[in-house]
Amino acid sequence: MAKPDYYDVEDCSTHEKGAPKFCKKSEPGEGTERSCAYDGARVVLMPVTDAIHLVHGPIACAGNSWDNRGARSSDSQLYRRGFTTEMLENDVIFGGEKKLYKAIIDLAGRYPEAKGMFVYATCVTAMTGDDIESVCKAAQEKVSIPLVPVNTPGFIGDKNIGNRLAGEILFKQVIGTAEPPTLGEYPINLIGEYNIAGDLWGMLPLFDRLGIQILSCFSGDAKFEELRYAHRAKLNIIICSKSLTNLAKKMQKTYGMPYLEESFYGMTDIAKALRNIAIALDDAVNGLEKRVMQDRVEQLLEEEEAKCRERLAPYRARLEGKRAVLFTGGVKTWSMVNALRELGVEILAAGTQNSTLEDFYRMKALMHKDARIIEDTSTAGLLGVMKEKMPDLIVAGGKTKFLALKTKTPFLDINHGRSHPYAGYEGMVTFAKQLDLTVNNPIWTLLNSPEPWETDATPLVNAARSHAATYLAEDLAASRVAVPKKAATVNPQKNSPALGATLAYLGIDQMLGLLHGAQGCSTFIRLQLSRHFKESIALNATAMSEDSAIFGGWENLKKGIGRVIEKFGPKVVGVMTSGLTETMGDDVRSAIHQFRVEHPEHDQVPVIWASTPDYCGSLQEGYANTVEAILATLPEAGAPIPGQVNLVPGAQLTPADVEELKELIESFGLSVLCVPDIANALDGHIDADVSPLSTGGISVDKIKQAGRSIATLYVGDSLAKAASQLEERLGIPAYGFTSLTGMAETDSFMAVLSAISGRAIPEKQQRWRSRLADALVDSHYQFGNKKVAIALEADHLKGMTRFLAGMGCQVQAALAATRTRGLDSLPCNNVFVGDLEDLETAAVGADLLVANSNGRQAAAKLKIGAHLRTGLPVFDRLGAHQKMWVGYRGTLNLVFEVANLFQANAKDAQKLAHN
């Protein structure tokens, strides 16, 4: 039996390896890659923007596929809605024609904006015998919009058959049923252009400048009415040749309309396409003597090509010599070969699944003789090519994307799931930019380096061991980091050092803090910490008065310590100073000594004192000074306890961060003493008995025992001095980490724990590292070249700046609360000490702002929708204390959180893209 003409049987006549065979049936077990006829029809018709697309079948066909293509619309969004009759078991048994009829009437009434309705048959409804043509004919009497039955059940063939059947349907039922409101001198149709990610919009400016009217586009950004008068064009231009060649041929036969097959990817093919179109239009409109359109084209090319080459130059410089594997579906492979060659990219192997034989031969002619033609397009076949060729990048359709990324190879999607338009000159620049962003993203170096359990970890261990000495040796006076020169600070990002001290003290169980200063200081600290942690804060004050401010505050301090111990019964009292008492010159050490002499009955209650004047530093400095005081006061010497280590967490870490680090240490068979420990103190919990003291932190006895640990691990540069002094006093080796957010940073932590414990890195952590690697490759597209402005305490700033730069972001400004060591080496050219008013200037043009909740004014003023709230305070979001961004698992959390912020604030093209 003869096949219908839309099969193009001649495409099956070749036996050349790697050549596409249109009429070849999918092999059992490998058919998934080629999709089905229903999907093919959908590809062609669903971009018609103002039509209802009603799928008649069970949930699978519509439920698994609606709104999953990157076709874009400049007007109606109706095409993006998922309509289905959702056939259930009884419908399958008794037939679904009545349900379909009712659905058509219902939807036509509820969506009056619809200008047409396509009704799709599916495998089940075709098997049960539902006659969609008859149902549409009957329903047409009740509705005013055209009803178009699309009888393309999946089992009749692959995606290509569906493409061409959709073309047949358009030709027979839509084209030629209306006349255009206006007809220009040079009207053309584009066929097989689906406006993926806005490709059409990259071509339209060229046609507009040339005076060429796009009468109808099949079917990107198309309105139903526009398709009806496509028969009045002078010329058809086939963009995706495989999908609708049959439509162009029938229009040529019926309307005498010639057609060309062209591409608008890459400068070479754009020029060729425009010249061929000009010749055809001059022949059709102006006759043999006049070359009006050709002259216009040459002038346009002269202007546009020079500008495009200039814009491509920096990308070509970074891409030249890269090696690629190219595999396409409907996109013209030969055109992509040209585009990549223009950027200096070498093609190692190429293949195509859905192109015509002509496209295949053109592709082959352009490739180097040693380049491989991909014969086996199955998953296994493509993996084999990747393994053999080891390319620098893979350019392919979305179904290959995650396969490629699993091999840790940069990937660029050129199919319907992509986010960016690549057609036209603007599209070519975008294509080069996106190639550059993915190929040269810094994550690939990290991902392709050896895992810490597969290499000699000695350098990592030595770096952590010498961290304190290296950090403390840095000459701060020579720092490039500028300090404020303004007379007034506006919208401070600093918190007081005494607030940092309070935070540290709260990590000790049964502690009560005592601020030596006016009572307002402690009130503000309690309010700030309560807003952040949503917890009661164990802090009192010595309530300095006018008299004590003049004559000295010793008595207030001694009375305060005594009252705190007698009334509240703490296990430890944490004293911190304020700007007032430091300015007065109160000798706190002597006052505490005198209190001891006067009250020997309280000798069993330790009193720790930290100097935290408001005019020296910020939260971080107050926290670090207090940790130093704790470690200088309580740990006691003694025989080392095997397997016991100290963890000294930085002020930038949340309770969830601290808990994760403790669990990581314990996973190596080590016992951990965390000083201070806010993991169970400020985690947000309800005790059986509510106490005015801090609860859940490390006990005083455990801190004393910390003097017998075999190692101290500290997280945050500001704690280097505290850990070093503990080492000097008790001989406990210190290992330092600037940050534990990031894969490389966590690798170092794992290596040190493995060396200390003598155990291998646990399989669970190896699995989390693998998950993080997968998150990095999946998310790096969101990060590439995004502009970021950060304002945080110095230790936190260092970790976040390196993390975001390591993901490919451009950190345009990094504002520290204070000037510290370690800031000079940050990957940012604009590092300075500043307030949040400075952020309003430094963050202009940023895609992401990273700051605490007080940064919301800057974000609002600059209209930056992506504001990552971190640091302290975070009061306009819940759960800040449960954010966990350390270790492999925590870094994964942060990757997704930032990527989702970028996604939520992306432009429409990125939001619509499902990849």
Side-chain angles (χ1 to χ4, degrees):
M1 177 177 171
K3 291 182 181 289
D5 57 2
Y6 53 76
Y7 269 85
D8 280 356
V9 177
E10 66 271 15
D11 277 10
C12 298
S13 59
T14 181
H15 294 286
E16 185 162 356
K17 292 181 177 180
K21 297 183 181 179
F22 172 66
C23 60
K24 179 180 181 292
K25 291 183 179 180
S26 296
E27 297 293 333
E30 294 185 1
T32 310
E33 301 301 323
R34 304 183 72 185
S35 198
C36 68
Y38 157 74
D39 187 29
R42 228 178 115 259
V43 167
V44 172
L45 300 175
M46 285 222 178
V48 180
T49 61
D50 57 358
I52 291 171
H53 298 273
L54 176 58
V55 179
H56 183 42
I59 193 59
C61 293
N64 295 345
S65 65
W66 71 282
D67 197 25
N68 74 346
R69 293 183 65 82
R72 296 192 60 201
S73 169
S74 58
D75 191 358
S76 175
Q77 299 296 314
L78 184 60
Y79 74 113
R80 294 182 57 205
R81 297 187 72 83
F83 299 103
T84 177
T85 55
E86 194 180 344
M87 298 272 287
L88 301 177
E89 189 173 9
N90 280 351
D91 300 317
V92 174
I93 295 170
F94 298 108
E97 290 182 357
K98 290 182 180 180
K99 188 171 189 177
L100 175 60
Y101 178 83
K102 290 178 181 178
I104 292 172
I105 304 300
D106 173 56
L107 293 174
R110 288 199 289 124
Y111 290 87
E113 67 270 30
K115 304 303 181 185
M117 185 184 301
F118 293 96
V119 181
Y120 300 79
T122 58
C123 292
V124 172
T125 54
M127 287 297 293
T128 59
D130 283 0
D131 187 347
I132 66 167
E133 284 88 354
S134 296
V135 174
C136 287
K137 184 176 181 181
Q140 190 68 78
E141 299 176 5
K142 301 290 185 180
V143 300
S144 60
I145 60 174
L147 302 177
V148 182
V150 183
N151 207 340
T152 55
F155 58 72
I156 68 170
D158 65 12
K159 188 175 182 178
N160 295 319
I161 298 293
N163 293 156
R164 301 194 181 202
L165 276 171
E168 294 288 313
I169 291 164
L170 289 170
F171 179 75
K172 292 176 180 178
Q173 300 187 50
V174 180
I175 296 170
T177 59
E179 293 299 325
T182 58
L183 195 63
E185 188 178 7
Y186 299 100
I188 68 172
N189 297 324
L190 299 180
I191 295 180
E193 170 49 54
Y194 304 118
N195 199 30
I196 300 301
D199 268 352
L200 173 65
W201 302 333
M203 298 154 59
L204 287 180
L206 303 178
F207 291 123
D208 289 343
R209 285 178 59 183
L210 295 170
I212 296 173
Q213 177 189 10
I214 305 300
L215 191 62
S216 304
C217 180
F218 293 86
S219 51
D221 199 19
K223 294 179 171 63
F224 190 87
E225 187 69 16
E226 294 169 350
L227 304 182
R228 299 177 69 186
Y229 48 70
H231 61 297
R232 294 305 183 193
K234 299 289 186 184
L235 178 68
N236 276 330
I237 308 299
I238 301 176
I239 304 297
C240 182
S241 59
K242 193 63 185 177
S243 65
L244 291 175
T245 307
N246 60 316
L247 175 60
K249 289 179 178 178
K250 292 208 168 181
M251 291 182 73
Q252 182 181 45
K253 183 177 180 181
T254 304
Y255 302 111
M257 192 184 304
Y259 71 88
L260 300 171
E261 294 188 25
E262 302 296 344
S263 168
F264 284 83
Y265 295 124
M267 292 175 59
T268 301
D269 291 321
I270 294 171
K272 173 182 171 296
L274 292 178
R275 286 182 172 123
N276 288 344
I277 292 169
I279 292 170
L281 287 176
D282 277 336
D283 288 346
V285 177
N286 300 316
L288 296 176
E289 300 303 321
K290 296 182 179 179
R291 291 296 177 238
V292 176
M293 187 54 65
Q294 292 173 70
D295 291 342
R296 292 180 188 175
V297 165
E298 293 306 321
Q299 183 178 350
L300 182 147
L301 293 178
E302 184 178 357
E303 296 172 4
E304 291 297 323
E305 288 191 346
K307 289 191 293 185
C308 189
R309 286 195 181 92
E310 183 179 356
R311 294 176 67 192
L312 289 176
Y315 300 117
R316 181 184 171 94
R318 291 191 291 271
L319 292 169
E320 192 157 16
K322 300 294 185 184
R323 304 172 307 147
V325 166
L326 175 65
F327 181 69
T328 71
V331 175
K332 293 181 182 298
T333 309
W334 53 266
S335 190
M336 280 296 164
V337 171
N338 266 338
L340 288 167
R341 286 175 57 183
E342 288 168 5
L343 295 171
V345 177
E346 177 189 351
I347 308 296
L348 298 176
T352 180
Q353 200 167 53
N354 297 323
S355 296
T356 62
L357 280 175
E358 181 183 354
D359 284 348
F360 171 76
Y361 290 129
R362 290 175 72 176
M363 172 195 78
K364 192 173 180 182
L366 287 169
M367 292 168 57
H368 189 276
K369 62 182 179 64
D370 295 330
R372 173 176 168 180
I373 298 295
I374 300 173
E375 302 170 25
D376 182 359
T377 61
S378 68
T379 300
L382 293 174
L383 279 173
V385 172
M386 295 174 202
K387 185 175 181 180
E388 175 194 345
K389 295 296 184 179
M390 300 290 288
D392 297 308
L393 72 148
I394 295 168
V395 181
K399 285 182 287 190
T400 312
K401 176 178 182 177
F402 298 105
L403 186 71
L405 293 178
K406 294 291 186 187
T407 67
K408 302 177 186 177
T409 306
F411 176 93
L412 188 70
D413 190 348
I414 54 170
N415 210 344
H416 65 82
R418 57 187 159 94
S419 304
H420 303 279
Y422 298 147
Y425 292 109
E426 192 64 36
M428 180 59 183
V429 175
T430 301
F431 179 64
K433 178 182 177 181
Q434 294 305 312
L435 277 175
D436 178 40
L437 285 177
T438 186
V439 173
N440 294 312
N441 191 294
I443 68 163
W444 302 113
T445 301
L446 174 64
L447 290 173
N448 288 295
S449 59
E451 286 85 354
W453 53 86
E454 291 183 348
T455 186
D456 180 13
T458 303
L460 297 178
V461 176
N462 290 342
R465 185 71 181 89
S466 61
H467 178 275
T470 303
Y471 173 75
L472 294 172
E474 184 178 325
D475 182 8
L476 189 57
S479 173
R480 67 180 171 98
V481 178
V483 296
K485 296 181 180 179
K486 298 189 299 185
T489 295
V490 180
N491 287 1
Q493 72 152 321
K494 280 185 181 181
N495 288 289
S496 73
L499 186 147
T502 305
L503 179 61
Y505 283 140
L506 289 170
I508 304 176
D509 190 43
Q510 300 297 301
M511 182 284 314
L512 188 60
L514 184 63
L515 176 66
H516 186 33
Q519 60 194 36
C521 296
S522 64
T523 299
F524 289 139
I525 290 173
R526 292 174 66 178
L527 175 62
Q528 189 81 308
L529 289 174
S530 292
R531 286 204 300 170
H532 180 84
F533 290 106
K534 310 296 188 284
E535 292 287 329
S536 175
I537 303 301
L539 177 64
N540 287 1
T542 58
M544 293 286 289
S545 64
E546 185 176 10
D547 287 346
S548 56
I550 295 171
F551 298 109
W554 276 36
E555 292 305 315
N556 283 56
L557 178 57
K558 291 190 293 180
K559 287 178 182 178
I561 296 173
R563 183 172 285 110
V564 160
I565 294 174
E566 292 164 7
K567 184 173 181 179
F568 299 100
K571 297 292 185 182
V572 61
V573 176
V575 175
M576 67 214 79
T577 55
S578 63
L580 170 62
T581 52
E582 290 279 357
T583 302
M584 291 164 49
D586 267 0
D587 186 347
V588 177
R589 187 189 305 276
S590 296
I592 294 173
H593 175 75
Q594 190 174 23
F595 171 80
R596 291 294 190 198
V597 171
E598 295 172 0
H599 297 280
E601 71 274 17
H602 297 319
D603 284 352
Q604 77 281 5
V605 181
V607 177
I608 305 169
W609 160 63
S611 176
T612 55
D614 298 332
Y615 43 76
C616 291
S618 181
L619 177 156
Q620 173 182 292
E621 284 71 26
Y623 179 94
N625 287 348
T626 304
V627 171
E628 186 179 333
I630 294 169
L631 294 179
T633 305
L634 294 179
E636 298 174 349
I641 299 174
Q644 176 182 292
V645 299
N646 299 327
L647 171 64
V648 185
Q652 75 276 20
L653 300 181
T654 68
D657 286 332
V658 176
E659 185 168 51
E660 176 72 3
L661 294 180
K662 288 166 60 180
E663 290 178 359
L664 288 176
I665 295 170
E666 289 167 351
S667 71
F668 283 82
L670 300 169
S671 60
V672 57
L673 299 179
C674 186
V675 187
D677 188 354
I678 63 170
N680 294 314
L682 293 171
D683 57 329
H685 64 278
I686 297 177
D687 292 320
D689 296 314
V690 180
S691 171
L693 306 175
S694 66
T695 59
I698 186 170
S699 68
V700 171
D701 288 341
K702 288 293 185 182
I703 300 177
K704 292 178 179 179
Q705 187 178 309
R708 301 170 62 194
S709 293
I710 61 171
T712 296
L713 310 169
Y714 65 92
V715 184
D717 288 349
S718 60
L719 298 171
K721 185 178 178 182
S724 295
Q725 289 183 350
L726 185 65
E727 180 171 3
E728 290 172 10
R729 186 165 71 89
L730 298 175
I732 303 173
Y735 299 83
F737 307 88
T738 298
S739 170
L740 288 181
T741 298
M743 179 177 282
E745 290 79 0
T746 307
D747 284 348
S748 296
F749 192 57
M750 293 288 116
V752 169
L753 291 175
S754 180
I756 292 172
S757 66
R759 294 191 180 189
I761 296 173
E763 289 186 9
K764 181 178 180 180
Q765 293 309 315
Q766 294 184 31
R767 186 67 176 177
W768 273 115
R769 190 184 193 278
S770 174
R771 289 168 178 159
L772 173 57
D774 191 65
L776 293 177
V777 298
D778 288 349
S779 304
H780 79 280
Y781 300 100
Q782 299 292 346
F783 289 80
N785 213 34
K786 290 291 195 305
K787 295 178 180 178
V788 180
I790 312 174
L792 293 169
E793 295 276 345
D795 281 359
H796 203 5
L797 182 74
K798 295 171 194 174
M800 291 302 297
T801 299
R802 290 196 173 95
F803 164 76
L804 289 165
M807 289 298 298
C809 291
Q810 177 188 337
V811 181
Q812 68 181 46
L815 284 71
T818 52
R819 191 187 198 201
T820 71
R821 295 177 176 88
L823 294 173
D824 279 10
S825 62
L826 291 184
C828 173
N829 294 325
N830 189 25
V831 183
F832 63 98
V833 177
D835 57 31
L836 297 179
E837 181 190 49
D838 298 324
L839 182 64
E840 293 174 0
T841 302
V844 171
D847 300 296
L848 174 69
L849 190 148
V850 183
N852 60 34
S853 288
N854 289 324
R856 70 197 189 284
Q857 290 186 28
K861 181 176 181 178
L862 300 175
K863 294 181 171 57
I864 300 173
H867 175 191
L868 180 66
R869 288 160 170 82
T870 185
L872 195 150
V874 175
F875 50 77
D876 59 343
R877 296 291 186 272
L878 294 174
H881 55 293
Q882 290 296 346
K883 297 272 186 169
M884 195 274 285
W885 294 349
V886 297
Y888 298 131
R889 186 159 65 105
T891 303
L892 180 146
N893 293 341
L894 180 57
V895 167
F896 286 147
E897 182 161 351
V898 178
N900 286 333
L901 264 179
F902 284 136
Q903 181 77 358
N905 291 277
K907 296 178 181 178
D908 286 343
Q910 283 75 27
K911 287 182 179 178
L912 288 175
H914 73 279
N915 273 345

